[in-house]
Amino acid sequence: MSNELLAGKAAIVTGAGRGIGRAVALTMARAGAMVISASRTAEELDALTQEIESLGGKSMPLITDLSSESDIHRLVEATVAAFGRLDIVINNAGIGIYGPLTDMTIEEWDMVMNINARGPFLLCRESIPYLRLQERSYIVNIASVVGTKGYAGQSLYSASKHALMGMSKALAKEVQHDGIRVHAICPGGVDTAMAGQSRPDLDRSVLMQPEEIADAVLFLVTRRGKAVIDEIHLHREASLPWA
Ligand SMILES: NC(=O)c1ccc[n+]([C@@H]2O[C@H](COP(=O)([O-])OP(=O)(O)OC[C@H]3O[C@@H](n4cnc5c(N)ncnc54)[C@H](OP(=O)(O)O)[C@@H]3O)[C@@H](O)[C@H]2O)c1
């Protein structure tokens, strides 16, 4: 392990099998956290667990479908049963379905909202009673640049990320006096499978790397100061918002 900033802490990371979630899980494990990784693809979670264990860390994979309320309940209960605590929740898993709004179906709307907004709602609801037991605990929601903006062809995805941002802002106020900090990160393009799907026009070499988002997560969950940080926006160099 490279440092022990999160030694003894238990952290749930959703969508940890690949992309940003995998980088977040590895970064947290390197900082000493016990990582509970949740997604649907067993091989990816097993590979992650092996990598964390080879670094000398602790990890527990839990196959979880975030569209299922009972899976989310089980994820939290199994975490507390195994580690006796829960300190950090990273709502990272997400999906995108893209195209003109007029082509979208109710099933597609429900699918995107279920994974990107309802899943984080349920995971927060199940986790907060345990997070309250810690002196300081953290929820980090991985939203998107389209959690505050809108791009043509991304109306469903953007609606789901706006929903996640709204929930994050309200929840941050609701639980601040319980010692729970709620943050949202809004990344632009990150070099993952999802980016290839959502923005096939972009040159992958100009995108941010998943580890850059993981560094921002680590910063948020290891802060001890009084400052409250709400949203963090991370833009790739080519789209500097102030340029
Ligand atoms: N890449 C970007 O440019 C970018 C930019 C801004 C924000 N984001 C956000 O960052 C997060 C991670 O994105 P990524 O690019 O790393 O995507 P990714 O490579 O496609 O990974 C998505 C992860 O979410 C999991 N997931 C999807 N549906 C799930 C379900 N029903 N139950 C449980 N897990 C599920 C996937 O695992 P399984 O399929 O195995 O379940 C996978 O581990 C997402 O919330 C995304 O919206 C990405």
Side-chain angles (χ1 to χ4, degrees):
M1 298 286 98
S2 54
N3 64 56
E4 291 297 316
L5 285 170
L6 296 176
K9 311 279 185 200
I12 292 177
V13 182
T14 69
R18 58 180 184 267
I20 295 170
R22 187 172 210 280
V24 170
L26 284 167
T27 297
M28 308 263 272
R30 285 196 192 94
M34 304 174 284
V35 174
I36 301 87
S37 58
S39 67
R40 294 166 303 174
T41 309
E43 306 78 57
E44 290 182 347
L45 294 186
D46 289 345
L48 172 71
T49 301
Q50 275 175 22
E51 188 165 344
I52 290 177
E53 286 174 356
S54 75
L55 296 167
K58 270 197 199 149
S59 176
M60 182 170 78
L62 276 177
I63 303 293
T64 307
D65 183 345
L66 293 163
S67 65
S68 157
E69 183 178 14
S70 58
D71 272 22
I72 293 173
H73 177 75
R74 188 175 48 88
L75 170 64
V76 173
E77 294 305 318
T79 296
V80 176
F83 298 112
R85 60 190 295 151
L86 177 58
D87 303 87
I88 298 167
V89 172
I90 313 296
N91 279 303
N92 163 78
I95 58 166
I97 297 178
Y98 311 103
L101 182 140
T102 46
D103 290 353
M104 295 291 143
T105 65
I106 290 177
E107 291 73 24
E108 287 170 328
W109 168 272
D110 287 344
M111 205 184 303
V112 173
M113 293 302 283
N114 278 349
I115 306 308
N116 295 0
R118 195 184 76 157
F121 148 61
L122 291 170
L123 184 52
C124 289
R125 192 187 72 187
E126 298 298 310
S127 299
I128 284 169
Y130 296 109
L131 295 175
R132 280 199 176 112
L133 300 177
Q134 305 305 323
E135 193 180 336
R136 179 65 70 89
S137 52
Y138 304 88
I139 294 171
V140 181
N141 296 327
I142 308 298
S144 164
V145 66
V146 300
T148 58
K149 292 183 182 178
Y151 292 147
Q154 299 196 12
S155 52
L156 265 56
Y157 182 62
S158 183
S160 71
K161 293 296 187 180
H162 273 71
L164 181 60
M165 289 300 291
M167 185 188 78
S168 305
K169 290 174 191 176
L171 183 61
K173 292 198 171 139
E174 215 167 283
V175 297
Q176 65 176 332
H177 299 301
D178 298 328
I180 306 173
R181 288 276 165 84
V182 180
H183 303 285
I185 296 184
C186 299
V190 184
D191 187 11
T192 69
M194 178 185 268
Q197 190 199 357
S198 64
R199 295 294 303 271
D201 55 309
L202 285 181
D203 168 7
R204 298 275 289 263
S205 70
V206 304
L207 298 181
M208 291 179 285
Q209 291 304 306
E211 291 71 23
E212 297 181 67
I213 313 305
D215 286 347
V217 173
L218 183 65
F219 167 72
L220 291 173
V221 301
T222 53
R223 285 183 58 259
R224 296 285 177 268
K226 293 228 181 293
V228 172
I229 298 173
D230 48 5
E231 318 162 358
I232 290 196
H233 295 254
L234 290 163
H235 304 269
R236 62 196 164 82
E237 281 175 313
S239 62
L240 268 184
W242 297 328

